[in-house]
Amino acid sequence: MASNVFVMGLNDFNLAKLQRIHGAEDINFHGVIDPAAVYDTEEFDIPAMLREAEDRIAGFDGKVDAIIGYMDFPVSTMLPLLSRRFGTRNASLQSLLKCEHKYWSRVTQREVVPDCIPNFTCFDPFDDGALAKLGDAGLYFPFFVKPIKSSGSRLGFRIDSPEDFEHAVGKLRAEIGLISEPFNYVLEQAELPEEIRAVDGGFCMAEEIIGGHQCTVEGYVHEGEVVPYAVVDSVRYPQVLSFFYYLYPSKLPARIQRKMNELTRKVMSHIGYDNAAFNIEFFWDEVQDRIWLLEINTRIAQAHCDLFEKVDGVSHHQVTVDVALGRKPRMVSGEGEYALAADFFHRVFLGDGRVARVPTAEEIAGVEQAMPGTIVRPNVQKGMMLSDLPEQDSYSFAVAQIYMGAKNRSTLLRNYERVLKKLPFEFDEIIP
């Protein structure tokens, strides 16, 4: 009999990837929660979403074999609660929160890999004396701030001066409630140490600046075995924090990748995370030959799905599904059409603006046909304000994602520039 796998926020793009994994012919994929409720908004009513998901799954006339997702907050934090309700496989809520609660995660990481962790502390953005207290904790300019629970680079700021801190705190005070209120509901469902419970979703992290070559180690834990299986490079735009593209396979030295894999196994084993996929973001400081651990995500990186399909022949949705069904993942290597692949973020660096022109479906289809392996996914529609885009970093707006495969990186970058010339976006009412 076919297995029934329920997918939170399932959209057409990812359904197509799922239907091409090994064994998909014996799996029925069922969507749970409208994709727009997790993609196109920044307001999340977690109790209502859980009730909707529970009603949908409980009303299914058949066996529930797995409940999965590939999204960050709020999907990732709801999965353990739903799995506990329906008896499906997933990481425990406590182990997941040891990754997603940024302060608890840093405290836990420091216990096993202290040399890879920057100086850090937490602070209340509504405390007028917060900046002085950061100094008392040994954090001085420059440093980085972000919410205790964040997704992507949302509400993350580099702080070089008191004026920068004042600006960041103003934004955090205005918007952190969108994250803290739903995240606090999840925290209430878990048994937390008192020192962690006191640092709820309304708090922020402040960390020493770290940097270098950034990458992501994709991995999973199956029956207690931690398996890192791939490294993807994360390339930023020059002089800013915004991501330019993800590149797979990684160009980092093999010895650095092996060391990152070793650190990954040590950290995830210590956390007690099991029966789920994850990824860990690292920096390699080439000058000091030092590895920094940036953060842990309790899911596959969905932005990498097309990269794996192009290079290895199958998306790493394979990992999520296999682990959730109790199988050792059947990932392959190098069986795709391309030697390497990238996911480009076409960004505009504006304060705000209205979208005056988006490439037409015919223009996009023409580019995709002329350049095999190219997929163009606009994130905006004509007439919308850029500030209406959800889940953006603090410095730019990603107006499109462009997936491409090639034989080498120079060809990838050259083809990307060709795509931009053929598919112009235009804006008016621009705020610098």
Side-chain angles (χ1 to χ4, degrees), residues 38-78:
V38 291
Y39 281 104
D40 301 335
T41 181
E42 293 182 343
E43 299 184 8
F44 305 111
D45 185 340
I46 299 290
M49 296 173 78
L50 284 170
R51 287 193 298 271
E52 179 183 344
E54 289 177 358
D55 290 346
R56 167 79 172 92
I57 297 170
F60 177 69
D61 185 16
K63 185 181 178 183
V64 178
D65 295 288
I67 306 171
I68 66 171
Y70 46 81
M71 290 279 294
D72 198 346
F73 188 76
V75 169
S76 57
T77 48
M78 290 193 289

Side-chain angles (χ1 to χ4, degrees), residues 9-25:
L10 180 62
N11 62 13
D12 292 341
F13 182 81
N14 284 282
L15 176 59
K17 303 292 185 191
L18 284 161
Q19 290 174 333
R20 290 195 291 269
I21 67 173
H22 299 303
E25 64 276 7

Side-chain angles (χ1 to χ4, degrees), residues 81-202:
L81 298 173
L82 290 170
S83 293
R84 186 167 65 187
R85 161 75 169 80
F86 291 98
T88 56
R89 298 169 66 88
N90 211 306
S92 68
L93 179 60
Q94 186 177 52
S95 68
L96 179 136
L97 290 174
K98 283 185 179 181
C99 302
E100 296 213 3
H101 186 296
K102 302 302 182 187
Y103 181 69
W104 195 7
S105 188
R106 279 303 195 206
V107 170
T108 304
Q109 295 161 25
R110 189 171 56 188
E111 294 169 355
V112 286
V113 291
D115 292 341
C116 301
I117 307 304
N119 186 22
F120 68 92
T121 190
C122 58
F123 70 94
D124 181 353
F126 294 91
D127 179 1
D128 291 336
L131 183 58
K133 292 176 181 176
L134 295 185
D136 293 341
L139 274 169
Y140 309 104
F141 303 125
F143 55 86
F144 194 79
V145 300
K146 58 186 173 183
I148 285 294
K149 175 60 198 148
S150 60
S151 56
S153 299
R154 183 182 173 204
L155 292 179
F157 301 89
R158 179 187 168 104
I159 308 299
D160 289 286
S161 66
E163 292 75 19
D164 285 348
F165 188 76
E166 182 179 359
H167 168 74
V169 164
K171 294 284 287 184
L172 287 161
R173 288 178 176 180
E175 300 181 31
I176 198 170
L178 294 172
I179 303 172
S180 64
E181 291 181 14
F183 188 56
N184 283 343
Y185 175 84
V186 176
L187 293 178
E188 291 168 2
Q189 315 307 310
E191 295 183 9
L192 306 176
E194 284 304 313
E195 63 272 21
I196 300 303
R197 186 170 294 281
V199 183
D200 68 14

Side-chain angles (χ1 to χ4, degrees), residues 148-379:
I148 285 294
K149 175 60 198 148
S150 60
S151 56
S153 299
R154 183 182 173 204
L155 292 179
F157 301 89
R158 179 187 168 104
I159 308 299
D160 289 286
S161 66
E163 292 75 19
D164 285 348
F165 188 76
E166 182 179 359
H167 168 74
V169 164
K171 294 284 287 184
L172 287 161
R173 288 178 176 180
E175 300 181 31
I176 198 170
L178 294 172
I179 303 172
S180 64
E181 291 181 14
F183 188 56
N184 283 343
Y185 175 84
V186 176
L187 293 178
E188 291 168 2
Q189 315 307 310
E191 295 183 9
L192 306 176
E194 284 304 313
E195 63 272 21
I196 300 303
R197 186 170 294 281
V199 183
D200 68 14
F203 276 69
C204 293
M205 289 287 288
E207 294 190 347
E208 172 189 3
I209 295 290
I210 56 177
H213 299 279
Q214 187 172 351
C215 69
T216 300
V217 174
E218 294 278 2
Y220 64 86
V221 190
H222 172 64
E223 299 295 343
E225 181 187 8
V226 181
V227 181
Y229 59 86
V231 181
V232 179
D233 289 338
S234 303
V235 181
R236 296 180 185 270
Y237 281 84
Q239 307 303 317
V240 294
L241 294 173
S242 303
F243 287 114
F244 181 14
Y245 61 94
Y246 300 132
L247 180 72
Y248 178 65
S250 170
K251 299 301 181 183
L252 291 177
R255 67 176 181 86
I256 298 300
Q257 295 188 46
R258 286 194 297 269
K259 180 62 177 176
M260 289 177 175
N261 288 343
E262 177 187 330
L263 293 168
T264 295
R265 285 187 284 266
K266 183 179 293 187
V267 169
M268 299 311 290
S269 295
H270 181 69
I271 288 172
Y273 191 85
D274 200 3
N275 297 320
F278 68 89
N279 66 72
I280 303 184
E281 297 176 54
F282 288 99
F283 285 112
W284 174 47
D285 183 334
E286 186 175 6
V287 175
Q288 300 184 60
D289 195 20
R290 183 172 185 177
I291 294 174
W292 296 102
L293 194 160
L294 178 58
E295 65 180 14
I296 305 171
N297 301 301
T298 57
R299 52 175 171 77
I300 62 169
Q302 66 161 320
H304 299 165
C305 287
D306 188 71
L307 311 186
F308 283 98
E309 195 170 58
K310 281 182 166 59
V311 175
D312 293 334
V314 63
S315 161
H316 64 332
H317 278 305
Q318 185 80 54
V319 169
T320 299
V321 173
D322 280 345
V323 171
L325 291 174
R327 306 167 178 165
K328 191 172 180 65
R330 294 166 287 179
M331 284 298 289
V332 294
S333 178
E335 296 187 8
E337 295 183 35
Y338 301 92
L340 74 169
D343 172 12
F344 291 95
F345 294 85
H346 177 33
R347 297 182 182 272
V348 292
F349 295 85
L350 304 172
D352 202 357
R354 186 175 299 280
V355 180
R357 184 188 189 280
V358 176
T360 66
E362 292 76 14
E363 289 172 333
I364 292 173
V367 166
E368 292 178 342
Q369 184 175 7
M371 304 178 69
T374 299
I375 301 173
V376 180
R377 300 185 70 204
N379 298 326

